[in-house]
Amino acid sequence: MDGNTELLSISAFARRVGLAPSALRFYDDCRVLRPAHVDGASGYRFYRPDQEPRARLVRSLREAGLPLADVVAVIEGSGDDARAVLERHRGRVRARSQEADVTIAAVLRTLSETAAPTRVRLGGAELASAARQVAPAVGRDAAHPELACVLVEIDDAEVRLVATDRYRFSTRVLTPAASDGPPCHFLIDAADLIEAGAWAARCAEVTIEIGPDGGRESGGRESGGRESGGRESGGRLYGTAGSRALPLAGGRFPAYRDVLSALPPPECRVIVDRAALLAAVHRCGDTPAITVRLGEDEVVVSRSADPGPRGGSAVPAVRQEDLPLTIAFDPAVLAPALETGVGPDVLLEISTPTQPVVVRSADQGSFTTLVMPVALATPTTTTTT
């Protein structure tokens, strides 16, 4: 050993690099950070100043949670090997962090559920309008009474009203002025919601309160639908006119999110005058099906039984695609979807003639309706002999 080389005792070196002397002894035993000199008589370890960068790197990597084997790979391996080891460890750290975040969020929701109700403040007229828009989409099936209800979902950012009869689907998203408490969801009969909306319309703002025994998030979106408690799980609506009960209903609402996520991207988008399209539907009269033919700059609506391409009412339209497309609807389903829209124009998003068609209000993107098409009529030919 060069007698002119400065050596530091293990205690002095430990203070410089931020490691405990016991850690330095451990790293020596593991051959990760060997001392520059070990006194043969006393066994004391000594280190050179130029070993400080390696010691600090070992400390940093260990603080980042790297196993000792990975520390050695980073220090002694090639640059590519070191990067691969670090990227793998970073991925593991992120995964653990996400898992911890999910667990903590679930526990926090559980703690909140045991203590506080959910409250959300909305414009009274806005709530009344949303109720009127989605209510026409509810069903009247005695075997499925939950279809007569509107699903209300409340979270930190928005309030969603959802209704469906399995042939038509409507949703309206409201942005609350304020919200407090854990996320929740509940079912309310459409007639009760309309009545509550009419009461709310007399108030500038109203507050929906769902007690701790009301609908609560259970840690995720149920693929099998939304389960809601019965009428004993009550809610209340507060406004300047006082307050009134919100009678909640029980049942399992259809898994509408599965339907939305399964929709393919639209192949065709068309903007048309809402009132003109609705009038064209009504002109078809009492018929089980109508045909909608999309041309380059028009939409032609006719009874599906009408022969030939020239029949029907033409309505001017704006399209980005040039390909012709024909689709059929039950007018009893399409007309209410158009009637509940807002503004002069409506946007139709069509993927295929057999997939649900998205109907959006051009002036109110927060309101969306899905309408199921029906089978296209098969043309018949008459043969004379």
Side-chain angles (χ1 to χ4, degrees):
M1 182 179 63
D2 186 355
N4 295 324
T5 302
E6 178 187 3
L7 292 178
L8 300 170
S9 69
I10 190 171
S11 297
F13 187 74
R15 287 193 295 271
R16 285 197 180 194
V17 299
L19 288 169
S22 59
L24 289 173
R25 297 187 189 99
F26 174 75
Y27 294 141
D28 178 17
D29 294 338
C30 296
R31 300 180 181 273
V32 174
L33 187 59
R34 306 297 299 273
H37 173 69
V38 179
D39 185 85
S42 64
Y44 290 163
R45 296 169 173 84
F46 296 89
Y47 296 83
R48 295 190 310 271
D50 61 8
Q51 291 182 278
E52 291 180 19
R54 182 182 177 102
R56 291 194 178 96
L57 180 57
V58 170
R59 185 197 69 195
S60 297
L61 294 175
R62 294 291 283 170
E63 288 175 348
L66 263 76
L68 200 56
D70 286 350
V71 171
V72 174
V74 171
I75 292 176
E76 299 184 353
S78 66
D80 289 341
D81 289 343
R83 278 190 289 272
V85 169
L86 292 172
E87 288 294 345
R88 283 197 302 270
H89 181 70
R90 182 160 62 178
R92 291 193 298 267
V93 170
R94 286 176 174 171
R96 286 197 297 268
S97 176
Q98 291 173 355
E99 292 171 358
D101 184 65
V102 170
T103 300
I104 292 171
V107 173
L108 287 174
R109 282 195 299 269
T110 301
L111 295 175
S112 298
E113 288 171 7
T114 61
T118 297
R119 296 186 183 90
V120 62
R121 180 157 50 90
L122 300 163
E126 187 180 27
L127 177 60
S129 170
R132 290 194 302 269
Q133 283 181 309
V134 302
V138 301
R140 300 297 175 190
D141 186 348
H144 299 282
E146 68 277 3
L147 296 182
C149 297
V150 174
L151 172 66
V152 181
E153 298 180 317
I154 301 174
D155 59 29
D156 294 335
E158 59 188 25
V159 177
R160 290 175 297 279
L161 280 68
V162 185
T164 183
D165 59 3
R166 298 190 187 274
Y167 300 98
R168 179 180 38 174
F169 162 90
S170 291
T171 180
R172 173 75 187 276
V173 178
L174 306 177
T175 301
S179 62
D180 181 56
C184 74
H185 62 271
F186 59 90
L187 292 177
I188 180 171
D189 186 274
D192 291 333
L193 180 61
I194 290 292
E195 185 178 340
W199 183 89
R202 302 196 296 267
C203 308
E205 288 187 329
V206 293
T207 296
I208 299 173
E209 180 181 275
I210 306 299
D213 59 343
R216 285 286 182 263
E217 295 287 358
S218 59
R221 304 291 185 191
E222 302 92 329
S223 60
R226 307 309 304 269
E227 187 75 36
S228 187
R231 289 183 178 267
E232 67 274 6
S233 303
R236 200 150 192 91
L237 188 64
Y238 296 89
T240 53
S243 69
R244 57 171 290 142
L246 280 180
L248 308 189
R252 179 174 290 273
F253 196 78
Y256 77 93
R257 292 177 183 273
D258 292 349
V259 176
L260 295 179
S261 62
L263 285 178
E267 296 291 335
C268 173
R269 292 182 174 88
V270 56
I271 299 176
V272 63
D273 182 283
R274 185 172 64 88
L277 180 59
L278 181 59
V281 173
H282 286 321
R283 278 196 292 272
C284 292
D286 185 12
T287 179
I290 59 173
T291 297
V292 178
R293 298 194 302 274
L294 275 61
E296 182 177 352
D297 56 3
E298 66 178 8
V299 170
V300 180
V301 181
S302 62
R303 295 168 62 100
S304 292
D306 288 345
R310 297 183 179 277
S313 303
V315 180
V318 177
R319 292 185 61 192
Q320 294 181 343
E321 305 82 0
D322 296 329
L323 294 176
L325 186 146
T326 302
I327 190 169
F329 295 99
D330 180 347
V333 174
L334 179 60
L338 298 173
E339 289 171 347
T340 53
V342 175
D345 301 313
V346 67
L347 170 64
L348 305 180
E349 296 182 344
I350 304 171
S351 53
T352 71
T354 60
Q355 293 285 343
V357 174
V358 179
V359 182
R360 300 186 190 277
S361 295
D363 287 0
Q364 190 178 66
S366 62
F367 176 61
T368 300
T369 298
L370 265 65
V371 177
M372 282 296 300
V374 298
L376 287 165
T378 303
T380 59
T381 59
T382 303
T383 302
T384 59
T385 59

